[in-house]
Amino acid sequence: KQEVTQIPAALSVPEGENLVLNCSFTDSAIYNLQWFRQDPGKGLTSLLLIQSSQREQTSGRLNASLDKSSGRSTLYIAASQPGDSATYLCAVNGETSGSRLTFGEGTQLTVNP
Amino acid sequence: AAGVIQSPRHLIKEKRETATLKCYPIPRHDTVYWYQQGPGQDPQFLISFYEKMQSDKGSIPDRFSAQQFSDYHSELNMSSLELGDSALYFCASSLGQVLYEQYFGPGTRLTVT
């Protein structure tokens, strides 16, 4: 059974800092991995989708990398802003689990002005 | 751009009552997923449909049923509601299965009293 772990569970940084969020998964047989942002009590906003054949994806200040063989992904946020404060979730689409996403428990990010 | 629409956004029911949640996918998306997110938890996959046929089933209670209609909208029917069913219910849609990005709706917050 696929298990997804995110470290750290919470992170507090000053504005302007670059930061890295980590995601690991136990079964490397995946189709792709998605990073999401969730504001308190709100829906999930897809940030980046990275296919298993890709090493990284970039969108604005965000960069996601994937090392499928080691079961790891990182989300890099450059020049963090208070508006980046949210919970960040990674989700894996595994080859043995149909097309369902298996989520990590998230990293709660706070960017202080 | 059009997004996934869910209705209602909030629902309050009493124990043993029935609830129906509706999901309207992004136009041309043929795959719909349902996820349940309990308080302080990560989203858990319930069920999915591809081209109006059930494609995958997760940890969905027998009290719940779902279907996808000819216009691709989907409904999640929940009967004999229990206090533990209180959660945020997300619908997601994608253009095809497996390799495609899942786009999430804003969710329906169900409170069972």
Side-chain angles (χ1 to χ4, degrees):
Chain A
K1 178 188 173 186
Q2 179 76 265
E3 292 183 2
V4 181
T5 304
Q6 291 188 244
I7 295 173
L11 183 62
S12 181
V13 301
E15 181 177 3
E17 192 161 299
N18 302 325
L19 56 100
V20 174
L21 307 181
N22 297 290
C23 172
S24 62
F25 45 95
T26 55
D27 185 351
S28 62
I30 67 168
Y31 289 118
N32 52 52
L33 182 148
Q34 268 185 266
W35 281 94
F36 293 90
R37 169 190 171 132
Q38 184 173 31
D39 294 286
K42 303 293 186 180
L44 299 169
T45 301
S46 180
L47 299 173
L48 288 164
L49 169 72
I50 183 164
Q51 301 289 358
S52 63
S53 58
Q54 298 175 318
R55 301 278 303 180
E56 63 179 77
Q57 280 283 359
T58 298
S59 176
R61 295 182 293 108
L62 306 179
N63 176 276
S65 68
L66 175 64
D67 184 343
K68 180 182 168 183
S69 60
S70 67
R72 294 179 188 175
S73 176
T74 62
L75 179 67
Y76 174 83
I77 302 177
S80 58
Q81 303 170 358
D84 294 332
S85 298
T87 295
Y88 291 80
L89 294 150
C90 75
V92 169
N93 186 349
E95 293 181 10
T96 59
S97 56
S99 54
R100 68 177 73 178
L101 293 178
T102 301
F103 285 83
E105 294 186 342
T107 293
Q108 187 173 356
L109 173 66
T110 302
V111 181
N112 301 299
Chain B
V4 177
I5 297 172
Q6 291 187 247
S7 67
R9 295 291 308 278
H10 301 272
L11 192 57
I12 300 175
K13 291 286 186 178
E14 295 186 356
K15 282 171 49 179
R16 293 180 288 279
E17 285 192 320
T18 297
T20 297
L21 280 55
K22 296 184 178 182
C23 169
Y24 298 87
I26 293 171
R28 297 195 311 278
H29 281 196
D30 53 15
T31 306
V32 167
Y33 312 82
W34 287 96
Y35 294 85
Q36 177 192 57
Q37 186 176 32
Q41 298 180 358
D42 54 283
Q44 296 292 318
F45 172 77
L46 293 177
I47 195 167
S48 62
F49 294 88
Y50 170 65
E51 284 290 345
K52 293 153 278 184
M53 300 287 288
Q54 181 181 306
S55 55
D56 195 7
K57 189 173 181 180
S59 50
I60 183 170
D62 292 339
R63 300 177 288 107
F64 295 6
S65 65
Q67 58 181 322
Q68 186 180 31
F69 294 86
S70 57
D71 64 351
Y72 294 99
H73 94 272
S74 178
E75 295 184 4
L76 177 65
N77 297 294
M78 310 161 68
S79 63
S80 302
L81 288 169
E82 302 173 356
L83 296 178
D85 296 328
S86 296
L88 199 51
Y89 289 84
F90 290 111
C91 171
S93 74
S94 65
L95 184 64
Q97 297 188 96
V98 179
L99 296 179
Y100 298 91
E101 189 168 0
Q102 294 186 24
Y103 295 88
F104 280 69
T108 293
R109 181 169 297 282
L110 173 66
T111 302
V112 181
T113 62

mmCIF file of all heavy atoms in Angstrom, chain A residues 87-111:
data_model
loop_
_atom_site.group_PDB
_atom_site.id
_atom_site.type_symbol
_atom_site.label_atom_id
_atom_site.label_comp_id
_atom_site.label_asym_id
_atom_site.label_seq_id
_atom_site.Cartn_x
_atom_site.Cartn_y
_atom_site.Cartn_z
ATOM 1 N N THR A 87 -1.471 25.317 3.638
ATOM 2 C CA THR A 87 -0.993 23.944 3.773
ATOM 3 C C THR A 87 -0.690 23.404 2.380
ATOM 4 O O THR A 87 -1.497 23.568 1.462
ATOM 5 C CB THR A 87 -2.027 23.052 4.475
ATOM 6 O OG1 THR A 87 -2.205 23.513 5.820
ATOM 7 C CG2 THR A 87 -1.562 21.605 4.512
ATOM 8 N N TYR A 88 0.474 22.799 2.238
ATOM 9 C CA TYR A 88 0.898 22.243 0.960
ATOM 10 C C TYR A 88 0.860 20.724 1.048
ATOM 11 O O TYR A 88 1.442 20.125 1.952
ATOM 12 C CB TYR A 88 2.298 22.749 0.605
ATOM 13 C CG TYR A 88 2.288 24.224 0.276
ATOM 14 C CD1 TYR A 88 2.275 25.177 1.299
ATOM 15 C CD2 TYR A 88 2.234 24.668 -1.037
ATOM 16 C CE1 TYR A 88 2.219 26.526 1.011
ATOM 17 C CE2 TYR A 88 2.187 26.018 -1.334
ATOM 18 C CZ TYR A 88 2.171 26.942 -0.307
ATOM 19 O OH TYR A 88 2.105 28.277 -0.599
ATOM 20 N N LEU A 89 0.155 20.137 0.096
ATOM 21 C CA LEU A 89 -0.041 18.691 0.079
ATOM 22 C C LEU A 89 0.586 18.107 -1.182
ATOM 23 O O LEU A 89 0.432 18.672 -2.273
ATOM 24 C CB LEU A 89 -1.533 18.348 0.083
ATOM 25 C CG LEU A 89 -2.316 18.735 1.348
ATOM 26 C CD1 LEU A 89 -3.754 19.037 1.013
ATOM 27 C CD2 LEU A 89 -2.246 17.614 2.355
ATOM 28 N N CYS A 90 1.257 16.995 -1.038
ATOM 29 C CA CYS A 90 1.668 16.256 -2.225
ATOM 30 C C CYS A 90 0.798 15.017 -2.326
ATOM 31 O O CYS A 90 0.320 14.480 -1.312
ATOM 32 C CB CYS A 90 3.148 15.910 -2.208
ATOM 33 S SG CYS A 90 3.629 14.587 -1.098
ATOM 34 N N ALA A 91 0.552 14.590 -3.539
ATOM 35 C CA ALA A 91 -0.318 13.445 -3.794
ATOM 36 C C ALA A 91 0.269 12.622 -4.925
ATOM 37 O O ALA A 91 0.694 13.171 -5.941
ATOM 38 C CB ALA A 91 -1.723 13.907 -4.138
ATOM 39 N N VAL A 92 0.246 11.328 -4.728
ATOM 40 C CA VAL A 92 0.863 10.405 -5.677
ATOM 41 C C VAL A 92 -0.214 9.603 -6.405
ATOM 42 O O VAL A 92 -1.176 9.134 -5.779
ATOM 43 C CB VAL A 92 1.823 9.460 -4.920
ATOM 44 C CG1 VAL A 92 2.267 8.333 -5.805
ATOM 45 C CG2 VAL A 92 3.011 10.231 -4.396
ATOM 46 N N ASN A 93 -0.036 9.449 -7.692
ATOM 47 C CA ASN A 93 -0.902 8.607 -8.515
ATOM 48 C C ASN A 93 -0.103 7.339 -8.835
ATOM 49 O O ASN A 93 0.780 7.356 -9.692
ATOM 50 C CB ASN A 93 -1.285 9.363 -9.785
ATOM 51 C CG ASN A 93 -2.290 8.628 -10.635
ATOM 52 O OD1 ASN A 93 -2.575 7.450 -10.411
ATOM 53 N ND2 ASN A 93 -2.849 9.317 -11.614
ATOM 54 N N GLY A 94 -0.408 6.268 -8.099
ATOM 55 C CA GLY A 94 0.388 5.050 -8.215
ATOM 56 C C GLY A 94 -0.085 4.113 -9.304
ATOM 57 O O GLY A 94 -1.267 4.062 -9.628
ATOM 58 N N GLU A 95 0.850 3.353 -9.855
ATOM 59 C CA GLU A 95 0.521 2.416 -10.941
ATOM 60 C C GLU A 95 -0.388 1.293 -10.470
ATOM 61 O O GLU A 95 -1.128 0.717 -11.262
ATOM 62 C CB GLU A 95 1.811 1.836 -11.533
ATOM 63 C CG GLU A 95 2.662 2.855 -12.265
ATOM 64 C CD GLU A 95 3.914 2.237 -12.867
ATOM 65 O OE1 GLU A 95 4.010 0.988 -12.861
ATOM 66 O OE2 GLU A 95 4.779 2.988 -13.321
ATOM 67 N N THR A 96 -0.329 0.975 -9.188
ATOM 68 C CA THR A 96 -1.143 -0.135 -8.678
ATOM 69 C C THR A 96 -2.402 0.338 -7.976
ATOM 70 O O THR A 96 -3.107 -0.462 -7.348
ATOM 71 C CB THR A 96 -0.323 -1.000 -7.707
ATOM 72 O OG1 THR A 96 0.121 -0.174 -6.628
ATOM 73 C CG2 THR A 96 0.865 -1.618 -8.403
ATOM 74 N N SER A 97 -2.705 1.618 -8.059
ATOM 75 C CA SER A 97 -3.870 2.142 -7.345
ATOM 76 C C SER A 97 -4.820 2.879 -8.278
ATOM 77 O O SER A 97 -5.491 3.822 -7.875
ATOM 78 C CB SER A 97 -3.425 3.060 -6.214
ATOM 79 O OG SER A 97 -2.611 4.108 -6.696
ATOM 80 N N GLY A 98 -4.895 2.414 -9.507
ATOM 81 C CA GLY A 98 -5.798 3.054 -10.452
ATOM 82 C C GLY A 98 -5.395 4.479 -10.669
ATOM 83 O O GLY A 98 -4.211 4.780 -10.784
ATOM 84 N N SER A 99 -6.346 5.370 -10.711
ATOM 85 C CA SER A 99 -6.018 6.773 -10.908
ATOM 86 C C SER A 99 -6.276 7.590 -9.656
ATOM 87 O O SER A 99 -6.259 8.820 -9.700
ATOM 88 C CB SER A 99 -6.811 7.335 -12.080
ATOM 89 O OG SER A 99 -8.192 7.091 -11.896
ATOM 90 N N ARG A 100 -6.492 6.905 -8.526
ATOM 91 C CA ARG A 100 -6.732 7.647 -7.300
ATOM 92 C C ARG A 100 -5.449 8.304 -6.823
ATOM 93 O O ARG A 100 -4.356 7.805 -7.064
ATOM 94 C CB ARG A 100 -7.247 6.708 -6.206
ATOM 95 C CG ARG A 100 -6.192 5.699 -5.727
ATOM 96 C CD ARG A 100 -6.690 4.832 -4.600
ATOM 97 N NE ARG A 100 -7.664 3.847 -5.047
ATOM 98 C CZ ARG A 100 -8.211 2.938 -4.249
ATOM 99 N NH1 ARG A 100 -7.896 2.933 -2.961
ATOM 100 N NH2 ARG A 100 -9.077 2.065 -4.708
ATOM 101 N N LEU A 101 -5.598 9.417 -6.137
ATOM 102 C CA LEU A 101 -4.456 10.085 -5.533
ATOM 103 C C LEU A 101 -4.334 9.661 -4.073
ATOM 104 O O LEU A 101 -5.329 9.584 -3.359
ATOM 105 C CB LEU A 101 -4.619 11.602 -5.606
ATOM 106 C CG LEU A 101 -4.584 12.224 -7.004
ATOM 107 C CD1 LEU A 101 -4.812 13.735 -6.916
ATOM 108 C CD2 LEU A 101 -3.257 11.932 -7.687
ATOM 109 N N THR A 102 -3.098 9.392 -3.658
ATOM 110 C CA THR A 102 -2.801 9.141 -2.261
ATOM 111 C C THR A 102 -2.051 10.349 -1.733
ATOM 112 O O THR A 102 -0.985 10.699 -2.251
ATOM 113 C CB THR A 102 -1.946 7.877 -2.082
ATOM 114 O OG1 THR A 102 -2.653 6.758 -2.634
ATOM 115 C CG2 THR A 102 -1.670 7.616 -0.605
ATOM 116 N N PHE A 103 -2.615 10.966 -0.715
ATOM 117 C CA PHE A 103 -2.094 12.226 -0.204
ATOM 118 C C PHE A 103 -1.181 12.037 0.995
ATOM 119 O O PHE A 103 -1.343 11.103 1.796
ATOM 120 C CB PHE A 103 -3.255 13.135 0.240
ATOM 121 C CG PHE A 103 -4.010 13.769 -0.884
ATOM 122 C CD1 PHE A 103 -5.010 13.073 -1.544
ATOM 123 C CD2 PHE A 103 -3.728 15.070 -1.284
ATOM 124 C CE1 PHE A 103 -5.719 13.656 -2.588
ATOM 125 C CE2 PHE A 103 -4.437 15.667 -2.320
ATOM 126 C CZ PHE A 103 -5.428 14.948 -2.973
ATOM 127 N N GLY A 104 -0.240 12.968 1.134
ATOM 128 C CA GLY A 104 0.483 13.109 2.380
ATOM 129 C C GLY A 104 -0.344 13.969 3.324
ATOM 130 O O GLY A 104 -1.402 14.483 2.958
ATOM 131 N N GLU A 105 0.143 14.116 4.543
ATOM 132 C CA GLU A 105 -0.611 14.862 5.555
ATOM 133 C C GLU A 105 -0.377 16.364 5.463
ATOM 134 O O GLU A 105 -1.019 17.120 6.185
ATOM 135 C CB GLU A 105 -0.274 14.343 6.942
ATOM 136 C CG GLU A 105 -0.743 12.901 7.163
ATOM 137 C CD GLU A 105 -0.533 12.437 8.570
ATOM 138 O OE1 GLU A 105 0.260 13.054 9.304
ATOM 139 O OE2 GLU A 105 -1.164 11.426 8.950
ATOM 140 N N GLY A 106 0.527 16.765 4.607
ATOM 141 C CA GLY A 106 0.709 18.184 4.359
ATOM 142 C C GLY A 106 1.758 18.856 5.212
ATOM 143 O O GLY A 106 2.122 18.372 6.290
ATOM 144 N N THR A 107 2.241 19.977 4.706
ATOM 145 C CA THR A 107 3.122 20.867 5.459
ATOM 146 C C THR A 107 2.406 22.202 5.604
ATOM 147 O O THR A 107 2.022 22.807 4.604
ATOM 148 C CB THR A 107 4.471 21.088 4.747
ATOM 149 O OG1 THR A 107 5.205 19.871 4.723
ATOM 150 C CG2 THR A 107 5.283 22.166 5.452
ATOM 151 N N GLN A 108 2.211 22.622 6.849
ATOM 152 C CA GLN A 108 1.562 23.908 7.109
ATOM 153 C C GLN A 108 2.628 24.995 7.125
ATOM 154 O O GLN A 108 3.468 25.035 8.010
ATOM 155 C CB GLN A 108 0.815 23.858 8.446
ATOM 156 C CG GLN A 108 -0.016 25.090 8.716
ATOM 157 C CD GLN A 108 -0.878 24.946 9.963
ATOM 158 O OE1 GLN A 108 -0.922 23.893 10.590
ATOM 159 N NE2 GLN A 108 -1.565 25.997 10.334
ATOM 160 N N LEU A 109 2.553 25.873 6.125
ATOM 161 C CA LEU A 109 3.553 26.923 5.961
ATOM 162 C C LEU A 109 3.011 28.265 6.431
ATOM 163 O O LEU A 109 1.906 28.659 6.051
ATOM 164 C CB LEU A 109 3.969 27.029 4.492
ATOM 165 C CG LEU A 109 4.881 28.195 4.117
ATOM 166 C CD1 LEU A 109 6.245 28.038 4.799
ATOM 167 C CD2 LEU A 109 5.042 28.305 2.610
ATOM 168 N N THR A 110 3.810 28.951 7.230
ATOM 169 C CA THR A 110 3.495 30.324 7.637
ATOM 170 C C THR A 110 4.660 31.210 7.242
ATOM 171 O O THR A 110 5.807 30.948 7.609
ATOM 172 C CB THR A 110 3.283 30.424 9.165
ATOM 173 O OG1 THR A 110 2.229 29.538 9.546
ATOM 174 C CG2 THR A 110 2.905 31.852 9.549
ATOM 175 N N VAL A 111 4.359 32.235 6.451
ATOM 176 C CA VAL A 111 5.366 33.212 6.048
ATOM 177 C C VAL A 111 5.070 34.500 6.781
ATOM 178 O O VAL A 111 4.013 35.111 6.589
ATOM 179 C CB VAL A 111 5.363 33.428 4.531
ATOM 180 C CG1 VAL A 111 6.453 34.437 4.142
ATOM 181 C CG2 VAL A 111 5.568 32.114 3.795
#
